[in-house]
Amino acid sequence: MSRDIFADAARRHAHALPGHTLLAAEPCAIPASVLTVDVLVEQSEDLEAGQKYTLRALLGGIDTVEDLQLFLGLNDGDTGRAVAGLLLAEYITYQPPADGGLRRLQLLPAGQEAARDAQLRRPMPTTMPVVYDRLTGAVTDWRRNSLRRSNQAKADPGRLLLPPASSMPVRAVDLSLAALTSTLDPRSRDGARLLGISGVTENRNFYHDAILLVFSDDETHQIRLGVDVDGKWSEPHTAALESIGAVERLRLSAAPVEHPHAPVTDSGERLSKADVLALQAAGDDPDGDGANRALSRAVIRWLGVYEHPARLDAALATSRRRLLISSPQIRTAVASMPWIRALEKLAHTVDVTIVWGSGDNDGTDREALNALHTAAGRANRLAVVQVATTPQKVLVSDSYYIITNFNWLSFRGDPSRIYRPDDGELVQDQALTDSAYDTYLTEACANAVEVVGTLPAKYRTETGSGSHATPTNHQMPTSSGNERQARRPTAPSKAERRREALKKLAAGQTVTGPVKRLTPFGAFVTLGEIDGLIHISQLADHRVEHPSEVVNVGETVTVQILNVDTARERVSLSLKAATSASSEPSRPGPESPASPAKTRRSR
């Protein structure tokens, strides 16, 4: 799998907060200041105490070894070592006089200079640059060249700028000598001692890159944050974000999956969320090869939302026969020009199909879509297929596929900062993968309203048994698979009926309909052409463990519409709101006869 710093951070810290699910590992920036600190530094000489006092004694007039020994109160050996050290440093001389008298100690010029310094330590004012973390309010060991300037950090739309703990300027009293000393070059720590701080000049125009880890409480869905700084979980930053209410200040929120994907029902070895998190935690240890092997061997396993971006990169890098990506919307934040160039390069040797479509497609960037169409016109094995209904969110590669709630091609670039537990299931079985590829691509072709580029040979519009018809304009000739023109047929009547049904629904309405199916997340209610979801939290005023405690499949219920998302064709409902508003007359839902479904819809 392709690995980057965000995927690595997510894998390392997914299990950091028990009872929480990791929703995202995103680039962030910690506010920092570069301080110029005025300090008083004590520079020490490389002298032992005996040598220091010997120099002071010689400056005072003592010039014989015997007198020096009496003055110092040392034995012969210690006195001799002090004199020998000063001779070696060329601070003194011990030569006999010309007249042959008693040998005397004499200071040389360097020794005289050192001896005149009464302490042999020279306090002196100087300045030192320091990087200050404005989130934790602490001096750091970050280097100036590791920082971004504010304009650089703010120019990155995908990077969250974390707030500082305080807007007050840094003062001398906010700094400690111990913290400043720890930032000194190790080579100079032994030769200098900070005595005091006299002033601080602050430049706040900086940020330090980090990784923000967004967690959701499994019970309350409340957001909690963690921070990975320089590859390690930082408890001080995590505590600082909580203390300043960063979730509210950054306007982050969590929401349940409105339309969860249908779980894979095939039998086989299956690893649950708890199993995967435990194995990933064990895999971070040096001896975690067994855990990694267990993850790679599982036929079906839970796939955390934090793993999806790396899986998308890996599919682009490792697919050798085929690649199918199905996502309701396409955004330039994911489908960037470098990403599209890599996709186009892959499509010269691999069958690549992009399936997209969702309601009126307001969430799709035309720039990204046009770039994909252009790439499909150049690559001989790339097709971009727009479908009339919201497609399943899937990724199929050579030997595995993923069915998920994750928006493969639009998960970045959403300014709302609403995080959802968009997990999925990874199926690592060749037969199941082959079957899934055929099913999803056949359904895409059956519901296509536009195809740009070249579909895989089996799925092109051809005469003969066993071929799969791609909807095309009747005035256009049968495809040979080599043309690059866009095919724009009339939208199927079913899609029109769905859009018309959505227009008739509005928040606040009370409607009725039968319960179609139950999931652990809630109950789906059929409203004519549209299915709406009663999330489990909207079934009753008390805690509900499973929707079956309140409603049954086939039962007709009265519900209130909470929200209508026309872009994604999603309707959120509340059973308890309808119950409490019993005084309002019920309004029947749309009653257009439903045509047989040609494809599974994303939940």
Side-chain angles (χ1 to χ4, degrees), residues 91 141 333:
Y91 278 4
D141 58 359

Side-chain angles (χ1 to χ4, degrees), residues 80 116 160 165 186 193 207 296 360 362 373 409 420 463 501 521 527 531:
R116 289 191 185 98
L160 268 172
R193 186 165 66 93
Y207 283 88
S296 64
D360 54 15
D362 284 342
H373 284 175
L409 301 181
R420 300 181 186 276
T463 59
F521 306 95
L527 307 175
D531 289 345

Side-chain angles (χ1 to χ4, degrees), residues 549-560:
E549 299 175 13
V550 182
V551 294
N552 297 312
V553 174
E555 176 185 355
T556 299
V557 295
T558 299
V559 294
Q560 189 175 71

Side-chain angles (χ1 to χ4, degrees), residues 104-263:
R104 297 185 181 279
L105 298 166
Q106 292 184 332
L107 287 170
L108 295 174
Q112 290 176 349
E113 180 182 352
R116 289 191 185 98
D117 183 349
Q119 301 299 321
L120 288 183
R121 295 179 183 269
R122 299 186 292 277
M124 55 186 297
T126 188
T127 60
M128 59 183 297
V130 174
V131 178
Y132 184 81
D133 184 337
R134 296 182 59 217
L135 176 55
T136 61
V139 171
T140 75
D141 58 359
W142 301 337
R143 294 298 174 231
R144 166 66 183 80
N145 58 9
S146 71
L147 304 179
R148 287 175 180 255
R149 288 197 172 270
S150 292
N151 57 348
Q152 294 174 320
K154 293 175 181 177
D156 185 350
R159 190 173 297 276
L160 268 172
L161 304 185
L162 303 183
S166 171
S167 60
M168 298 296 293
V170 179
R171 303 166 298 170
V173 295
D174 299 325
L175 307 176
S176 71
L177 291 174
L180 292 177
T181 300
S182 68
T183 68
L184 292 173
D185 189 305
R187 293 171 297 181
S188 61
R189 285 180 193 170
D190 295 335
R193 186 165 66 93
L194 302 186
L195 301 179
I197 304 170
S198 57
V200 179
T201 303
E202 180 181 10
N203 182 350
R204 295 185 173 185
N205 194 33
F206 298 95
Y207 283 88
H208 184 74
D209 287 351
I211 298 174
L212 185 69
L213 302 156
V214 183
F215 294 86
S216 172
D217 187 288
D218 293 338
E219 294 285 338
T220 66
H221 301 297
Q222 295 297 309
I223 290 286
R224 283 190 64 186
L225 302 176
V227 185
D228 180 299
V229 181
D230 299 329
K232 296 180 180 179
W233 175 276
S234 174
E235 193 59 43
H237 289 91
T238 299
L241 287 176
E242 190 158 341
S243 68
I244 66 174
V247 172
E248 291 76 19
R249 291 176 65 174
L250 293 171
R251 298 181 181 179
L252 308 181
S253 61
V257 177
E258 293 182 347
H259 300 280
H261 68 273

Side-chain angles (χ1 to χ4, degrees), residues 400-415:
Y400 68 88
Y401 79 96
I402 299 167
I403 181 168
T404 180
N405 308 311
F406 186 78
N407 292 313
W408 289 109
L409 301 181
S410 63
F411 68 92
R412 291 194 184 106
D414 185 356

Side-chain angles (χ1 to χ4, degrees), residues 390-425:
T390 303
Q392 287 275 29
K393 302 168 186 176
V394 297
L395 182 150
V396 188
S397 186
D398 297 340
S399 59
Y400 68 88
Y401 79 96
I402 299 167
I403 181 168
T404 180
N405 308 311
F406 186 78
N407 292 313
W408 289 109
L409 301 181
S410 63
F411 68 92
R412 291 194 184 106
D414 185 356
S416 66
R417 297 294 180 188
I418 298 176
Y419 295 90
R420 300 181 186 276
D422 290 328
D423 57 3
E425 289 182 292

